[in-house]
């Protein structure tokens, strides 16, 4: 209703030909999504310009569920890995961990300047995990020891990836599931960001 009022108030009914939004179901649902409701109200089709970045979350969510089990709410995870993700990074020490070969590459400063804090954290953590704990990484290790990986929330898979990576860095004997998650993050999830 609010969108329609803006369309009517700005006399944009005829020139409107496309809608830009993210790919959450509330926007893109084929029967009750916002775009479909707009089409029905305007009695014509619109071009859907959808941000595909949200689709990056779907395989990660399925892999996480397969390796760690279902969630128990928006902030409560019950699996062996997920139940350990609600931590203060300053309270868990980074240990000597094994590198996990990945596809994340270092980027130039201009690129990094356009990243959110959560995206910068993902980049830095992946780069450190791919080369293992050694003195050359000491500056990044110090940063990651206290920097926030972002709030834990079921809808924020980026921060879940950040927290999972940071948990790996603090685990002396990581489980096979945790290693598989790290491998997925540095080879599939993070590179697509």
């Amino acid at each position: 209703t609010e969108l329609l009022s803006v369309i009517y108030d700005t006399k944009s009914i005829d020139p409107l030909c496309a809608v830009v939004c993210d790919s959450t179901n509330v926007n893109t649902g084929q029967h009750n999504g916002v775009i479909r409701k707009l089409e029905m109200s305007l009695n014509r089709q619109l071009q859907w310009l959808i941000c595909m970045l949200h689709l990056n979350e779907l395989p990660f969510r399925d892999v996480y569920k397969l390796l760690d089990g279902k969630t128990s709410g928006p902030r409560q995870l019950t699996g062996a890995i997920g139940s350990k993700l609600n931590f203060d990074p300053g309270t868990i020490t980074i240990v000597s961990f094994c590198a996990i070969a990945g596809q994340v590459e270092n980027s130039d400063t201009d690129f990094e300047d356009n990243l959110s804090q959560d995206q910068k954290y993902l980049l830095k953590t992946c780069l450190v995990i791919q080369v293992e704990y050694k003195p050359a990484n000491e500056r990044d290790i110090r940063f990651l020891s206290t920097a926030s990986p972002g709030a834990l929330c079921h809808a924020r898979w980026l921060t879940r990836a950040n927290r999972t990576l940071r948990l790996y860095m603090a685990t002396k004997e990581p489980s096979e599931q945790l290693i598989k998650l790290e491998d997925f993050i540095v080879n599939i999830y993070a590179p697509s960001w």
Side-chain angles (χ1 to χ4, degrees):
T1 304
E2 185 68 26
L3 289 172
L4 280 173
S5 70
V6 171
I7 291 168
Y8 288 127
D9 291 348
T10 59
K11 298 176 177 43
S12 301
I13 298 168
D14 291 331
L16 180 67
C17 58
V19 178
V20 179
C21 63
D22 66 34
S23 62
T24 59
N25 194 46
V26 71
N27 292 332
T28 61
Q30 68 182 34
H31 301 294
N32 291 314
V34 169
I35 302 172
R36 182 64 188 134
K37 293 283 192 179
L38 278 175
E39 289 179 329
M40 291 172 13
S41 296
L42 298 173
N43 200 28
R44 65 187 171 94
Q45 291 183 335
L46 298 168
Q47 181 69 42
W48 297 28
L49 304 174
I50 307 299
C51 172
M52 302 304 275
L53 193 52
H54 285 285
L55 298 180
N56 185 31
E57 312 294 332
L58 299 177
F60 184 40
R61 183 179 65 193
D62 288 344
V63 168
Y64 217 99
K65 191 186 312 180
L66 176 72
L67 295 172
D68 197 47
K70 293 184 178 184
T71 62
S72 60
R75 288 182 181 81
Q76 294 177 331
L77 307 171
T78 57
I81 299 166
S83 62
K84 296 176 185 169
L85 293 183
N86 199 8
F87 58 81
D88 172 1
T91 62
I92 60 172
T93 305
I94 294 177
V95 298
S96 182
F97 55 84
C98 292
I100 296 180
Q103 301 298 316
V104 177
E105 297 178 3
N106 212 343
S107 58
D108 60 39
T109 307
D110 290 338
F111 175 78
E112 285 187 43
D113 288 344
N114 290 310
L115 296 176
S116 71
Q117 290 303 311
D118 293 339
Q119 291 168 326
K120 286 178 186 176
Y121 189 96
L122 179 68
L123 175 63
K124 192 170 293 271
T125 309
C126 286
L127 292 172
V128 167
I129 282 178
Q130 291 175 154
V131 295
E132 75 187 53
Y133 192 122
K134 42 181 148 171
N137 308 10
E138 196 57 43
R139 193 173 110 233
D140 291 335
I141 296 285
R142 274 195 313 276
F143 167 78
L144 294 170
S145 293
T146 58
S148 174
L152 182 61
C153 177
H154 184 58
R156 297 280 298 151
W157 286 89
L158 172 59
T159 56
R160 185 174 303 185
N162 286 346
R163 287 180 165 276
T164 305
L165 291 165
R166 179 61 175 81
L167 177 65
Y168 175 77
M169 294 170 68
T171 305
K172 289 182 182 177
E173 295 181 24
S175 67
E176 184 179 336
Q177 290 84 358
L178 182 55
I179 293 169
K180 285 181 180 180
L181 277 173
E182 303 310 299
D183 186 66
F184 184 85
I185 292 168
V186 298
N187 284 292
I188 297 171
Y189 181 75
S192 54
W193 266 97

